[in-house]
Amino acid sequence: MSIYDTLNEQQKEGVFTVDGPVLLLAGAGSGKTRVLTHRIAYLIEEIGVNPWNIMAITFTNKAAGEMKERVEDLVGFGSDSIWVTTFHSTCVRILRRYIDRIGYDNNFAIYDTDDQKAVMKDICKRLQVDTKMMKERSILAAISSAKDELVSPNEYSLSAGGDFHKQKIAQIYQEYQAALKKNNAVDFDDLIMKTVELFKACPDVLKGYQERFKYIMVDEYQDTNTAQFELIKLLAGAHHNLCVVGDDDQSIYKFRGANIRNILDFEKVYPEAAVIRLEQNYRSTQNVLDAANAVIRNNKGRKEKALWTDKGEGNRIHFRQFDTAFEEAEFVADDIARKKREGSFDYGNCAVLFRTNAQARLLEERFVVEGIPYDVVGGTNFYARKEIKDLLAYLKTIDNGRDDLAVKRIINVPKRGIGATTIAKVQDYADMKEISFYDALKEADEISTIGKSGAKLKPFVSMIQAFRSKLSYYSLEDLMNDIIETTGYVKELEASDEEDAENRIENIDEFISKIVSYEETHDEPSLSEFLEEVALVADIDNVDGDSNKVLLMTLHSAKGLEFGSVYLTGMEDGVFPGYMSIVADDPDEIEEERRLAYVGITRAKEDLTLCYAKQRMIRGETQYNAVSRFVKEIPESLMDNRLPAPKYDPITTPASKFKPVASLAPKRTAAENKPFIAGGIGSFGAMGIVKGAGAAPGGRPDYDAGDRVRHIKYGDGTVLSMEPGPRDYKVTVDFDEAGQKIMYAAFAKLKKL
């Protein structure tokens, strides 16, 4: 039996159509990765294409890793030669080799968001920009959008015309790029833009890559921006063997620069393109797919297709309405607990999706009360933590002395008595001589203005030079341990009385584990390559699919994932679709929101629940919203209950007609409104307390100070103290992993060991 016999007819067509441009319209859950991997195997085994001549590009490290594993399983020997990678990783590999052709050193640094903000802050200060009028974040967003469209600082300036605001951004853009180049650094948008610039400036480099990559495949094509489109078009320019896979109905990243026209107009760019539709879904039941089809067909800017499955109808869609957002969160937590209890779905098979991160707070509070383990996707990235950024700055300084930002970050970490005045004088000297900040440090004896402070700079320079000299024979693990030991970084943390010192030391231990893992999995590990790998890590790559926890995340974060049971919360006009999309009166904005609803619905494999709250507090104001138009677009025959007939239109009805907040909110006693305390979660307000939360727990718990206990979220710990209150015992526990927490006994549900 051939490996291709397991494919359906449309999938086979996608695999066997290898010459010329191909557009694979792959609906949600239609097995697009399966088609791509089998297509690669077919090219090698049946057509005789050299693996070296094949490239497959996707957006996240996680997706690239999964595709690479599947290709290795199918192809075996020779699969290492195939480039299965992300857009940014592809460009880094090309630029590492050739960026010197456009004026950079090949050991350039890659700046993350925090680095960009630091550079922008300095520029705004230097140019005396009023950051209350022009926010740094908005300026960076404007520059990012320009780069997505391949607009240079000069072109941006020319297009500004008489617009003072745009002229100012053009000036800042110019300064920003100059600062990056001086630091021998690029940001994420530069990785694509500079590669396109390289190809256009150096035809010989482009030709070399065109001859290497004779067959190119691009996944998630609907998410590409103009710069990425131009990059792919250039690479495929010689042979035109370009296969793009995507779903215009899942184009939800317009705010990041994604251009849906790339997929909608593919046949205009390549008139000879073959168009193949993958409509059979292998993920969801038919009722879920019918709901998704019913919603998305209301979009005009799309290519016609309809998902179907042979998995059967399945459960009908659950629609639940509540008086308040608190009751919505209470229901979701209770319903997940019920499913776990009954054995229908485990925690790890459940996800709660919402339009904005702010909606997570009430859900988190309820999950803590119920003792339901959960993770919020999109929290602080591991590599954005202070201690990790400090150690990375040491590595960056050792690797690339021109990165002024990295040098300045660590010159006084741990403290060396080098003040801001000394740093400013060194920078002035560097600016005068047009050299890097680190090179200026090496010439500290020549800087007359710093006086005796120069003696404090020499040991720092000597230390960095010593680290550099050890690179030739040290492993990266040895180097990191040497940095920690020489600087006394961990010793300073151990001696500090900061509450999070222990957690920060654990993070450093985890960072060393990452370094060891990197060295074990790479034949020729290098510091530059390790820093690249860290720089290219995305938040969604950190989602642990093996942990048995409910995931709370925005709809944007959920793309590409699937769950047995999904809850879509906040299904109200004004929340989803958002208020700004409605008042903008722009059909394109609503269509983008509708695609987001389609993505949310199709994350569910078996069970989908839509939740609506009559009132919700947003930015401190109580709002009353109608049921989301996306819910109304689902036929009632697919739901297990009818939508309520609206008693009033929240847009046209006077505020005096609305019920007062107090009449809708659940009534609570004064004792019930006392705060619940749990480290890292925050206090509950009046709307965040469970009904009956203050009820007496039925006597003293069966544990006492000194006993070992177990919590469903925090794990094992030791009870430090028990304080009786008017309604419950306040328990302080030192957890082995999570540290010290204070909680009420009835809520904590601690189990004595």
Side-chain angles (χ1 to χ4, degrees):
M1 178 178 167
S2 165
I3 60 170
Y4 310 109
D5 291 341
T6 60
L7 305 172
N8 65 41
E9 290 307 309
Q10 288 71 34
Q11 288 176 331
K12 286 178 182 176
E13 190 180 354
V15 169
F16 301 151
T17 308
V18 293
D19 293 323
V22 178
L23 171 59
L24 273 174
L25 288 171
S30 61
K32 63 183 176 64
T33 306
R34 186 177 179 80
V35 173
L36 281 176
T37 52
H38 280 69
R39 196 172 194 272
I40 292 170
Y42 182 75
L43 282 168
I44 295 169
E45 295 174 353
E46 305 298 329
I47 307 298
V49 176
N50 189 324
W52 172 265
N53 296 135
I54 299 172
M55 168 191 266
I57 301 181
T58 187
F59 275 82
T60 67
N61 293 316
K62 184 177 183 181
E66 288 174 357
M67 193 185 297
K68 199 161 194 171
E69 281 181 21
R70 288 163 76 166
V71 168
E72 285 171 358
D73 289 343
L74 285 174
V75 176
F77 181 76
S79 63
D80 288 346
S81 302
I82 306 166
W83 269 29
V84 182
T85 181
T86 65
F87 272 101
H88 291 109
S89 295
T90 297
C91 291
V92 168
R93 288 176 75 172
I94 294 169
L95 292 175
R96 280 284 175 226
R97 194 169 175 189
Y98 292 111
I99 199 172
D100 58 327
R101 298 276 200 100
I102 53 172
Y104 289 75
D105 285 349
N106 293 87
N107 65 332
F108 58 87
I110 303 170
Y111 276 6
D112 63 15
T113 306
D114 287 343
D115 297 330
Q116 290 177 270
K117 287 176 183 174
V119 172
M120 186 55 66
K121 187 175 182 180
D122 181 60
I123 291 169
C124 288
K125 187 177 179 181
R126 193 152 28 89
L127 297 180
Q128 296 182 320
V129 175
D130 184 352
T131 51
K132 290 181 181 176
M133 298 295 292
M134 292 180 71
K135 297 191 180 300
E136 293 158 6
R137 185 174 63 181
S138 300
I139 299 169
L140 282 168
I143 292 172
S144 178
S145 296
K147 290 182 179 182
D148 286 346
E149 296 298 321
L150 295 174
V151 176
S152 69
N154 287 337
E155 289 168 333
Y156 196 95
S157 182
L158 290 171
S159 68
D163 187 326
F164 173 78
H165 183 79
K166 286 189 73 175
Q167 285 177 346
K168 195 67 183 174
I169 290 177
Q171 182 190 8
I172 297 168
Y173 185 7
Q174 195 92 42
E175 289 290 321
Y176 174 76
Q177 287 305 106
L180 259 60
K181 190 165 187 180
K182 178 177 175 292
N183 289 353
N184 194 37
V186 295
D187 62 22
F188 272 80
D189 297 312
D190 280 331
L191 290 174
I192 313 292
M193 191 174 183
K194 292 296 175 189
T195 307
V196 172
E197 182 185 328
L198 169 69
F199 284 164
K200 290 183 175 179
C202 306
D204 59 317
V205 175
L206 173 61
K207 188 179 180 187
Y209 282 106
Q210 285 177 337
E211 287 308 308
R212 171 162 185 184
F213 301 122
K214 294 178 180 177
Y215 290 86
I216 299 172
M217 281 153 274
V218 185
D219 195 10
E220 305 289 4
Y221 190 67
Q222 76 281 346
D223 294 334
T224 54
N225 59 34
T226 302
Q228 289 162 337
F229 166 77
E230 187 65 22
L231 174 73
I232 294 302
K233 188 180 172 188
L234 286 167
L235 281 170
H239 300 283
H240 282 217
N241 293 326
L242 172 63
C243 174
V244 301
V245 186
D247 182 3
D248 50 304
D249 290 335
Q250 294 187 74
S251 179
I252 59 172
Y253 292 119
K254 183 181 177 184
F255 70 99
R256 288 186 191 165
N259 185 354
I260 194 173
R261 301 313 312 177
N262 288 349
I263 192 167
L264 294 179
D265 296 342
F266 187 78
E267 298 106 304
K268 291 181 182 178
V269 180
Y270 299 102
E272 73 277 27
V275 180
I276 301 163
R277 286 172 169 79
L278 304 181
E279 296 175 302
Q280 183 176 356
N281 178 283
Y282 292 91
R283 175 192 298 156
S284 307
T285 57
Q286 192 61 53
N287 278 335
V288 170
L289 299 180
D290 286 346
N293 290 333
V295 171
I296 202 63
R297 73 167 59 104
N298 291 281
N299 273 6
K300 290 186 171 64
R302 66 184 291 262
K303 292 179 179 288
E304 190 59 40
K305 57 188 166 301
L307 297 176
W308 63 275
T309 185
D310 57 11
K311 291 169 72 75
E313 286 189 357
N315 297 340
R316 287 200 287 176
I317 313 302
H318 314 300
F319 175 73
R320 301 291 180 262
Q321 66 165 341
F322 309 94
D323 283 338
T324 67
F326 165 77
E327 290 182 3
E328 175 191 68
E330 186 177 49
F331 162 78
V332 171
D334 288 346
D335 203 47
I336 290 174
R338 174 186 62 80
K339 287 174 178 174
K340 166 71 173 174
R341 213 166 40 245
E342 293 174 353
S344 52
F345 292 99
D346 212 342
Y347 292 132
N349 290 325
C350 299
V352 187
L353 312 181
F354 31 77
R355 182 64 182 83
T356 63
N357 275 311
Q359 292 169 251
R361 183 186 64 84
L362 280 176
L363 291 159
E364 279 198 79
E365 291 174 353
R366 282 304 313 163
F367 278 36
V368 171
V369 169
E370 294 289 344
I372 296 173
Y374 70 91
D375 270 335
V376 181
V377 177
T380 304
N381 186 305
F382 177 78
Y383 297 106
R385 299 175 192 274
K386 181 187 181 301
E387 59 277 7
I388 305 304
K389 284 191 75 74
D390 286 345
L391 296 179
L392 280 170
Y394 271 103
L395 294 176
K396 288 177 181 179
T397 300
I398 294 164
D399 185 55
N400 171 21
R402 284 179 57 188
D403 188 349
D404 291 359
L405 212 60
V407 180
K408 287 179 180 177
R409 182 181 181 95
I410 53 155
I411 192 169
N412 208 33
V413 176
K415 289 183 171 50
R416 300 184 175 92
I418 302 169
T421 305
T422 302
I423 291 171
K425 288 175 179 176
V426 173
Q427 185 62 62
D428 289 342
Y429 178 82
D431 293 342
M432 181 185 71
K433 294 202 67 176
E434 296 184 342
I435 58 176
S436 72
F437 183 80
Y438 183 73
D439 284 340
L441 289 177
K442 291 196 286 187
E443 299 178 14
D445 290 340
E446 307 296 320
I447 309 174
S448 58
T449 56
I450 61 175
K452 295 180 181 178
S453 298
K456 297 175 182 176
L457 302 177
K458 286 182 180 178
F460 175 77
V461 173
S462 299
M463 177 181 68
I464 297 299
Q465 292 300 111
F467 289 144
R468 282 184 178 173
S469 67
K470 296 172 183 175
L471 264 180
S472 58
Y473 58 90
Y474 258 15
S475 69
L476 294 185
E477 181 190 3
D478 291 337
L479 178 64
M480 191 72 261
N481 286 327
D482 194 6
I483 291 169
I484 291 169
E485 184 64 32
T486 304
T487 61
Y489 195 100
V490 169
K491 286 179 182 175
E492 188 172 279
L493 281 174
E494 288 171 341
S496 77
D497 56 359
E498 294 178 26
E499 288 184 10
D500 64 345
E502 191 174 336
N503 285 338
R504 290 172 66 188
I505 293 170
E506 288 173 359
N507 288 337
I508 291 170
D509 291 340
E510 179 61 26
F511 183 53
I512 293 171
S513 297
K514 163 66 182 173
I515 290 172
V516 172
S517 174
Y518 162 79
E519 292 192 295
E520 287 176 349
T521 54
H522 290 70
D523 294 332
E524 296 180 13
S526 71
L527 179 55
S528 295
E529 189 183 45
F530 173 73
L531 291 171
E532 276 169 27
E533 193 170 292
V534 168
L536 297 173
V537 169
D539 284 349
I540 197 66
D541 292 332
N542 295 324
V543 173
D544 184 0
D546 296 328
S547 65
N548 191 24
K549 296 179 181 179
V550 180
L551 290 186
L552 309 182
M553 68 181 91
T554 64
L555 287 147
H556 284 101
S557 296
K559 187 168 173 293
L561 304 177
E562 58 183 48
F563 307 91
S565 178
V566 168
Y567 297 80
L568 293 186
T569 60
M571 296 301 290
E572 302 123 42
D573 268 10
V575 177
F576 187 34
Y579 174 75
M580 295 306 293
S581 300
I582 296 170
V583 298
D585 196 27
D586 182 350
D588 288 345
E589 293 292 328
I590 293 295
E591 292 210 353
E592 176 98 355
E593 293 280 299
R594 187 174 282 110
R595 291 194 291 270
L596 198 53
Y598 173 83
V599 166
I601 292 168
T602 54
R603 297 314 94 194
K605 294 197 286 187
E606 301 162 47
D607 205 63
L608 175 65
T609 304
L610 310 175
C611 298
Y612 155 74
K614 293 178 184 175
Q615 71 168 53
R616 187 180 300 274
M617 187 170 285
I618 299 174
R619 292 178 296 278
E621 295 180 357
T622 300
Q623 295 186 5
Y624 301 81
N625 296 309
V627 175
S628 171
R629 64 195 66 193
F630 304 145
V631 176
K632 294 176 182 176
E633 289 168 357
I634 299 173
E636 287 193 355
S637 60
L638 296 176
M639 297 197 185
D640 62 6
N641 59 341
R642 288 179 175 274
L643 292 180
K647 296 179 181 177
Y648 51 76
D649 184 335
I651 296 173
T652 59
T653 306
S656 59
K657 295 289 184 183
F658 292 135
K659 292 182 181 180
V661 175
S663 67
L664 286 172
K667 294 179 180 177
R668 316 192 195 287
T669 66
E672 287 171 341
N673 282 335
K674 286 185 177 179
F676 170 84
I677 305 167
I681 300 298
S683 300
F684 282 53
M687 293 296 288
I689 296 295
V690 56
K691 293 179 182 177
R700 186 180 178 88
D702 64 347
Y703 49 82
D704 211 330
D707 286 342
R708 294 283 291 169
V709 292
R710 177 168 295 160
H711 186 275
I712 194 165
K713 176 176 172 61
Y714 301 125
D716 296 349
T718 304
V719 178
L720 299 181
S721 66
M722 302 264 294
E723 294 177 32
R727 310 268 298 181
D728 199 359
Y729 282 84
K730 189 163 73 173
V731 186
T732 303
V733 183
D734 182 16
F735 290 100
D736 300 345
E737 300 292 333
Q740 188 169 305
K741 309 288 179 188
I742 303 171
M743 54 192 72
Y744 287 118
F747 290 159
K749 299 180 181 175
L750 297 170
K751 183 180 178 183
K752 185 178 177 181
L753 298 179

